[in-house]
Amino acid sequence: KKEGQAKERSIYLHEINARPPGYLESVAVMLTHGIDYYALRILLCLGPNEHNRIHALSKAFRDGPQFHLCILIVPQTRAGIMKTEDAGADLFRHHPELRQYVPDYDTYLKRGDVLKGPSARSLWWIANFSVTSRISRLECLQRAQFIRDNFIYELE
């Protein structure tokens, strides 16, 4: 290095948060591609004698994904006490045609539960839906938007 020349140093930190996928992601992969991460994890725990089964069960559907899938999380939009018994079940009662496109859903906050609103730090969502389409990603996203627009709940 010559005197008078300062070399600017650059530092880049990239965090890798390696961990197994959660429930929603695991179910999405199982439904779409046919790979059951939970079953594979159990087999991995059983040791090297399970190598053949692990290898066989780690393969996706032969003809590719069976549909497009998106995970829709319905966040809390306001604070209060949930008055609606089960907003997810209500959605399907009012729009039964949707049920065939939602193979997995859960309503976490039901009648009597306290909603802290958009600023909630834990359990900030009310429900989640796995929404599918065998036609296109666009149709899948449109169905998810329909659910988002028609997910109704009452607070006390």
Side-chain angles (χ1 to χ4, degrees), residues 118-133:
S119 62
R121 291 191 175 151
S122 63
L123 195 55
W124 51 269
W125 65 94
I126 297 171
N128 68 271
F129 298 84
S130 295
V131 186
T132 65
S133 167

Side-chain angles (χ1 to χ4, degrees), residues 3-18:
E3 194 167 313
Q5 290 181 335
K7 186 175 180 182
E8 199 174 304
R9 294 186 186 243
S10 174
I11 297 175
Y12 177 76
L13 174 64
H14 178 81
E15 177 185 359
I16 297 174
N17 193 359

Side-chain angles (χ1 to χ4, degrees), residues 21-34:
Y23 173 80
L24 296 178
E25 296 81 6
S26 295
V27 169
V29 169
M30 183 179 64
L31 293 171
T32 306
H33 299 282

Side-chain angles (χ1 to χ4, degrees), residues 1-68:
K1 168 171 137 178
K2 294 181 183 176
E3 194 167 313
Q5 290 181 335
K7 186 175 180 182
E8 199 174 304
R9 294 186 186 243
S10 174
I11 297 175
Y12 177 76
L13 174 64
H14 178 81
E15 177 185 359
I16 297 174
N17 193 359
R19 62 177 182 234
Y23 173 80
L24 296 178
E25 296 81 6
S26 295
V27 169
V29 169
M30 183 179 64
L31 293 171
T32 306
H33 299 282
I35 299 173
D36 186 343
Y37 288 152
Y38 292 117
L40 289 171
R41 187 67 188 150
I42 290 170
L43 290 173
L44 285 167
C45 293
L46 294 176
N49 291 340
E50 299 301 325
H51 176 77
N52 290 339
R53 287 202 298 177
I54 292 167
H55 184 72
L57 294 173
S58 296
K59 300 207 183 298
F61 292 133
R62 180 180 29 213
D63 295 327
Q66 64 175 341
F67 42 59
H68 300 272

